[in-house]
Amino acid sequence: MAGVGLRAAARRYLPRRDHGGPRAASSSPSCPGCGPPGPGAHCPGAPRSAPASAPAGGAEPSAHLWARYQDMRRLVHDLLPPEVCSLLNPAAIYANNEISLRNVEVYGFDYDYTLAQYADTLHPEIFSAARDILIEHYKYPEGIRKYDYNPSFAIRGLHYDIQKSLLMKIDAFHYVQLGTAYRGLQPVPDEEVIDLYGGTQHIPLYQMSGFYGKGPSIKQFMDIFSLPEMALLSCVVDHFLGHGLEFDQAHLYKDVTDAIRDVHVKGLMYQWIERDMEKYILRGDETFAVLSRLVAHGKQLFLITNSPFSFVDKGMRHMVGADWRQLFDVVIVQADKPSFFTDRRKYGPGRGDGPRERGLASACRPVCLGWGHPLADGQAFQPTLGLSENLMRRAHCIGTVSPAWKRARSIGRKWLPGPAIGPLCAVLSSSVKEGNLFDFLRLTEWRGPRVLYFGDHLYSDLADLMLRHGWRTGAIIPELEREIRIINTEQYMHSLTWQQALTGLLERMQTYQDAESRQVLAAWMKERQELRCITKALFNAQFGSIFRTFHNPTYFSRRLVRFSDLYMASLSCLLNYRVDFTFYPRRTPLQHEAPLWMDQLCTGCMKTPFLGDMAHIR
C-alpha cells in the first residue's frame, strides 16, 4: 500500500505532457510544476514502445527519443521507494573533513548565533531601527518608513555589486545565477545582467578577491545579522528607483551599512535582547547541556567573541547560570575578529606605536583573560588561586607574559571578582588596541588539531583559524535545519530525481540533430528549466537555496567546505554524538569517477544499453 501511495505522489509531483512532451500542472505563474506518471503512462505523439537501442529500420529518431524518455520515467518511478524521503536528519552533524572528537581536547566558541541562538523576531527590530536612523539622522526620505522587513526576501551568502546596486547569487565558479539578480525589490532581466558584465554571467576574480568577502566593488553578506541589512538596502534602492530620485550608489550603500552598524554600536540590539531574553534567545538549556557535558568529560573550554562582556554575561547567566564562567578556562570579549586572529602587532604606552600615538584612540580590542591580579610592566606572571591549574602551569613555563596580556595596570584593565577557584576572566576597559591570538596561543599552548572552534561567520570566525593556525573548525548554519526539511519532502525528492534523470538523457541523446529530434530536445530543455525553477522556489522564491545555484554549489557553499571541518544547524547537535565520535565525510565522486548518480542509472549507464547512441564519440 505504501508503494501505491508513493506512485500517487509521483503522479502529482513529476512531469507529464501531451503532444509529445510532459504537461505541467502549474504551481506558480512563473515556474510550472511537474511530475512523472505511473509506469503505464503514455505521452500522446510518442510511440508506446521503443527499441532498446538506436532506431531500427525506418523508425523515426524522434520516436526513439520519446521511447527513451518513457523508459527513464518508469525507472525513476521504480527507483524511489517510500522510505526515500526523510533520509536526512536536521539534527545531524555533517563532515567536510574527517575528524575524531577523541583527539579534541579544547573546545572554543563564538557567542552570537553559536552559544546564543536568536529568534528571527530580532531581524525586524534591526531593520526598523536602522530604517529610522536613515530617516532621522541621515535625512533620507520619509517615504522609506512605509517599508517593513520581509523575512522571505533574501538569503545569506548573496553578493552586492555596489556600483550597479545589484543583489545577486553567485556560484562557486563566480557565475551569477540567472533569475537571482535584483535591483531594489525588482528582478533584473537575464539579458540586462549579462550586458552589465560585458556579455557574460561571470564576475572577474579581482572584483571578488577580498579574503573576507570584500572586493573593490562587491561585498558578500555572510553573517545572519546581514539579512536585515540586505532587506533595508533593497528597500531603500526600491524607493529611490520607484520615485525617479537620483542617488550615488556608493554613498547609499555606505549610509545603509552605517545605519545597521549604529544599531550594534549604540547597543540597541543588546538592549532588546537583555530586556526579553525569553523572547529572543533560543535553546539556552541545550547550550548548557553541551557545555556541561564537555566539561564533565575533561575538555577545556574558551570563548572568543566581539560582543561586550556585560551583554555576554547576562546572556550566559540566562542560559547557563550565574556561575557560567567556571565552565571556561578563558573568556575573551570585544575581540575585534577577524583582526584578533591575524594581527601580530603589540602596542604599549610610551613606545610610540600604540593606538593613541597612531591616532587610533577610538580603536578598541579589549580582551578578557581571567581572574587574578593586574601586572605592572615587566613583572613576572604570578598566578593566584583564581587561575585554572593548566593556565598556572602555562604561565610558569612562559616566565614573563607578553605585553599584550600583562599591561593591566598601565592600560586600565578592570579585573572582575570571581570565586576562589575558577578560570581567568578580565575585561579591558580602556580604548586600547592590544592583544591577539598569537599571545593567546603562547600563553595556553592550545595549538593545532586538538582545538575545535565553533562559529557562525565563515570568514571572521573560521577562515584564519583553519588556514593560519591549523585548528579544527565547526560552522553553525541555522538555515540548514529548514533546508533539510525541504530536501526531505516528496515534492523536492521527486522533482530533483526526475530533473537529474532528464539531464542525463539530454546529455546522451544530443547526438540526434535532425529537425524533429531538435524539437524533442528543446521540449526536454524547457521542461528541465521548469523543474529547476520549482526546486529553487521551494527554498526561496527569489534566490533559492543558500547551498545550490541550480546544479552548482553556491559561492557560500564553496567557502563553507573550505573553512569548516564540520557544519550543523546548532551547537545542540553535539548532544547526538559521543564525545569520542569520529566523523567521516561522504566520498563525493569526481566527474571522471563512476558514481551511482541518478542520471546515469536512469539512462542505463550501469547496464550501458544506450552506448550505441554515442558510439561515434569514441
Side-chain angles (χ1 to χ4, degrees), residues 292-466:
S292 301
R293 184 170 181 247
L294 292 175
V295 171
H297 284 84
K299 307 299 182 181
Q300 293 177 283
L301 310 184
F302 67 93
L303 170 64
I304 303 178
T305 176
N306 288 346
S307 293
F309 178 78
S310 60
F311 174 69
V312 173
D313 182 53
K314 291 175 182 176
M316 291 300 291
R317 285 173 179 268
H318 171 76
M319 293 186 290
V320 177
D323 58 350
W324 68 270
R325 286 174 290 179
Q326 296 204 49
L327 296 173
F328 292 87
D329 289 272
V330 177
V331 174
I332 301 176
V333 301
Q334 291 179 274
D336 191 25
K337 297 179 293 182
S339 298
F340 181 84
F341 296 141
T342 59
D343 191 355
R344 288 179 176 270
R345 293 174 297 177
K346 299 178 177 66
Y347 301 119
R351 293 176 54 187
D353 61 349
R356 284 192 173 87
E357 289 86 343
R358 298 174 62 246
L360 297 175
S362 62
C364 186
R365 177 103 57 81
V367 294
C368 181
L369 181 61
W371 294 321
H373 299 293
L375 304 175
D377 276 352
Q379 179 181 346
F381 193 92
Q382 298 294 327
T384 70
L385 287 178
L387 287 165
S388 67
E389 186 177 347
N390 278 340
L391 288 182
M392 280 194 274
R393 288 199 298 269
R394 298 280 183 267
H396 280 305
C397 292
I398 293 172
T400 301
V401 180
S402 59
W405 299 103
K406 72 184 181 184
R407 298 183 185 276
R409 185 172 299 160
S410 59
I411 63 177
R413 183 169 291 160
K414 179 177 71 175
W415 297 87
L416 302 175
I421 298 177
L424 289 168
C425 186
V427 175
L428 186 65
S429 58
S430 61
S431 295
V432 177
K433 187 175 183 181
E434 179 165 39
N436 54 55
L437 187 68
F438 299 94
D439 293 321
F440 173 85
L441 295 176
R442 184 168 177 259
L443 175 63
T444 62
E445 295 186 1
W446 291 341
R447 301 178 186 276
R450 68 192 187 99
V451 182
L452 174 57
Y453 185 81
F454 293 92
D456 69 287
H457 198 298
L458 301 183
Y459 296 140
S460 297
D461 290 328
L462 307 182
D464 292 304
L465 295 179
M466 169 173 277

Side-chain angles (χ1 to χ4, degrees), residues 20 161 294 497:
D161 190 319
L294 292 175
T497 304

Side-chain angles (χ1 to χ4, degrees), residues 32-43:
C34 311
H42 168 65
C43 289

